[in-house]
């Protein structure tokens, strides 16, 4: 039974990692200024886009609406207090960050992809509840960007 649970979790993580491809494919539609960006370039532009994702709900809602399956609530109902909003916000933030680090279609290899996926899941919950306990510098950076009013235990 434990093996079945672990196998199910491994499939869930693999599906989650694969699901991010959809988010990455929309990056240049939402942020056309990133077209042609090479890994590591234009850090100031990427930082501005990340701030926009943190502070402009219409950007997050546009992204959510583009990837929303029909069974999820319509964009008109969703705001920062919904877990699905934070899910879309953190996924979009991660997609922009990944795009800027690895280029179009890139993703961290192997174990780094699993770690990145787990960090996204944790950051979604942290952003929703307004608190994070972590020493991971990138996770702290994202959390403080999304929730400057949040509680951080590092």
């Amino acid at each position: 039974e434990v093996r079945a649970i672990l196998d199910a979790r491994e499939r869930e993580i693999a599906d989650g990692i694969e699901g991010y491809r959809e988010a990455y494919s929309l990056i240049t539609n939402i942020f056309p200024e990133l077209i042609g960006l090479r890994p590591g370039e234009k850090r100031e532009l990427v930082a501005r886009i990340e701030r926009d994702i943190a502070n402009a709900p219409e950007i997050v809602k546009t992204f959510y609406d583009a990837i929303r399956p029909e069974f999820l609530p319509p964009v008109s109902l969703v705001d920062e207090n919904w877990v699905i909003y934070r899910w879309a916000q953190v996924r979009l933030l991660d997609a922009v960050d990944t795009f800027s680090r690895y280029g179009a279609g890139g993703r961290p290899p192997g174990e780094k992809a699993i770690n990145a996926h787990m960090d996204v899941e944790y950051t979604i919950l942290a952003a929703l509840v307004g608190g994070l306990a972590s020493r991971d510098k990138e996770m702290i950076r994202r959390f403080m960007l999304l929730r400057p009013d949040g509680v951080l235990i590092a």
Side-chain angles (χ1 to χ4, degrees):
E1 185 173 318
V2 171
R3 183 76 247 162
I5 292 169
L6 291 174
D7 288 345
R9 181 62 179 145
E10 285 179 13
R11 281 190 306 277
E12 181 182 314
I13 291 169
D15 290 346
I17 291 169
E18 184 62 31
Y20 287 112
R21 292 186 195 279
E22 182 179 25
Y24 303 137
S25 71
L26 296 173
I27 292 302
T28 55
N29 293 348
I30 297 170
F31 304 107
E33 61 268 45
L34 293 177
I35 293 172
L37 182 77
R38 294 177 194 208
E41 285 185 336
K42 301 182 182 178
R43 286 306 306 161
E44 305 83 28
L45 172 63
V46 172
R48 182 198 45 86
I49 289 172
E50 289 177 337
R51 286 190 304 274
D52 289 348
I53 293 167
N55 299 309
E58 64 275 4
I59 293 172
V60 176
K61 289 181 176 189
T62 297
F63 173 69
Y64 170 69
D65 202 35
I67 64 170
R68 180 185 70 86
E70 287 189 30
F71 65 86
L72 289 177
V75 70
S76 60
L77 295 178
V78 175
D79 65 20
E80 296 89 344
N81 296 312
W82 286 61
V83 71
I84 198 69
Y85 176 91
R86 296 299 184 175
W87 172 82
Q89 186 181 42
V90 174
R91 281 187 68 170
L92 183 56
L93 191 63
D94 179 64
V96 168
D97 181 59
T98 300
F99 189 93
S100 74
R101 288 180 190 215
Y102 298 94
R107 187 75 184 139
E111 289 295 317
K112 285 187 175 186
I114 294 169
N115 186 54
H117 175 75
M118 300 303 289
D119 287 353
V120 165
E121 287 188 351
Y122 194 47
T123 304
I124 291 166
L125 296 175
L128 181 66
V129 301
L132 174 70
S134 178
R135 290 194 176 126
D136 183 289
K137 290 179 183 176
E138 183 58 26
M139 195 181 308
I140 291 169
R141 185 189 72 79
R142 286 183 184 176
F143 172 72
M144 295 309 297
L145 183 67
L146 299 174
R147 290 298 301 262
D149 63 331
V151 175
L152 175 64
I153 300 172

